[in-house]
Amino acid sequence: MTTAILSALPEEQSGLVSSLENAQRVMHAGRSFWVGSLHGQPVVLALSGIGKVAAATTATVLIERFAARRIVFTGVAGGVGEGVQVGDVVVAHDYVQHDMDVSPLFERWLVPGYPGVRLACDAALSAQLAQAVHHCLATEGPGLHAHPAGHLPRLHQGLMASGDRFITCAQVSRALREPLLAAGHDVLAVEMEGAAVAQVCLDYAVPFAAVRTISDRADDDAHVDFPAFIQSVASRYADHIVRRLLELL
Ligand code: ADE
């Protein structure tokens, strides 16, 4: 059964590509797909592209053209939940599209045609992913990211939000988070692709799970924290977590 590993950024994918056995690069829809085997499992590696539409196209190609039977997303996100700090890791239970609004015709944030505001990830695959993260943090945590305040990286599980906007301002982050919280949706982290992949995977009944390492707090420092984190830490997280997950599958 082919597992697709979607990465948001080349820095997060490079370690996976260099470990790929019998690697074959296939171009499709203007994208590179790397087919091969990783830690004994048949895989296809791809970059999601940035934003919801790019990620939805990539996910559709993975399913239709590369017969992916489960999709795992690894990437980074801005932490917005209480206590979700840079270097922590979030495994999504479900997703909301924070920029979807067809109110008053439909409930705010609902993608019409779907049963609820929250797009669910696969519970079993997400549990295995959380187990992989837990193992990595327990064995490698302090070596993976040295937080300036001595805080050890933690695993959080819950709701993530996606939208076509990089959040670099505390005021925008609050404006996004607070109405969702008031409606009972406690968002832990924001990024730009996961909800789109979740939606495609629901359409095809393909199990989906997502892990995001927190690169910034989606605040006024995000534009500085994000590139520094990508350069130094993101790929090491992705390598460790994916290896452990593939051993568990
Ligand atoms: N991915 C990582 N940080 C982010 C942010 N602040 N906003 C949106 N996507 C992100």
Side-chain angles (χ1 to χ4, degrees):
M1 166 158 42
T2 300
T3 303
I5 312 286
L6 261 179
S7 309
L9 300 160
E11 291 85 344
E12 294 167 302
Q13 195 198 38
S14 58
L16 302 175
V17 171
S18 50
S19 307
L20 194 65
E21 286 167 30
N22 304 318
Q24 202 195 335
R25 180 174 174 232
V26 181
M27 290 297 295
H28 188 80
R31 291 149 162 79
S32 291
F33 294 84
W34 290 92
V35 180
S37 107
L38 199 57
H39 311 299
Q41 292 274 356
V43 295
V44 50
L45 311 177
L47 292 176
S48 60
I50 306 293
K52 298 199 303 295
V53 173
T57 301
T58 309
T60 305
V61 172
L62 284 169
I63 296 167
E64 288 279 4
R65 170 81 199 261
F66 293 92
R69 289 296 166 263
R70 55 188 163 217
I71 297 186
V72 177
F73 201 121
T74 76
V76 294
V80 296
E82 231 158 83
V84 180
Q85 301 201 34
V86 172
D88 287 356
V89 182
V90 179
V91 171
H93 277 163
D94 42 19
Y95 267 98
V96 59
Q97 293 193 17
H98 66 72
D99 54 358
M100 172 58 76
D101 189 353
V102 198
S103 62
L105 301 178
F106 293 90
E107 186 184 354
R108 189 170 173 197
W109 305 293
L110 180 78
V111 183
Y114 291 80
V117 162
R118 296 185 183 209
L119 302 163
C121 298
D122 183 74
L125 188 58
S126 302
Q128 285 174 305
L129 186 56
Q131 208 183 324
V133 173
H134 184 74
H135 178 268
C136 291
L137 293 183
T139 55
E140 321 267 353
L144 281 173
H145 177 68
H147 193 272
H151 156 94
L152 287 178
R154 287 173 54 203
L155 165 64
H156 307 265
Q157 296 178 71
L159 180 64
M160 282 209 253
S162 309
D164 289 325
R165 180 168 189 179
F166 188 78
I167 313 290
T168 52
C169 161
Q171 201 187 334
V172 173
S173 168
R174 275 196 301 276
L176 183 162
R177 176 171 154 74
E178 282 169 7
L180 277 160
L181 189 60
H185 307 298
D186 188 358
V187 175
L188 299 178
V190 290
E191 37 85 315
M192 302 178 64
E193 299 83 19
V197 180
Q199 187 178 336
V200 170
C201 286
L202 285 173
D203 290 343
Y204 283 93
V206 166
F208 171 63
V211 57
R212 294 275 185 164
T213 307
I214 300 304
S215 56
D216 57 81
R217 278 285 305 172
D219 58 10
D220 304 15
D221 297 325
H223 65 292
V224 180
D225 294 342
F226 175 81
F229 191 88
I230 296 303
Q231 287 302 327
S232 59
V233 197
S235 66
R236 287 192 290 147
Y237 268 101
D239 288 353
H240 280 85
I241 293 168
V242 168
R243 186 192 322 137
R244 186 66 190 156
L245 175 68
L246 291 173
E247 286 165 2
L248 287 172
L249 289 178

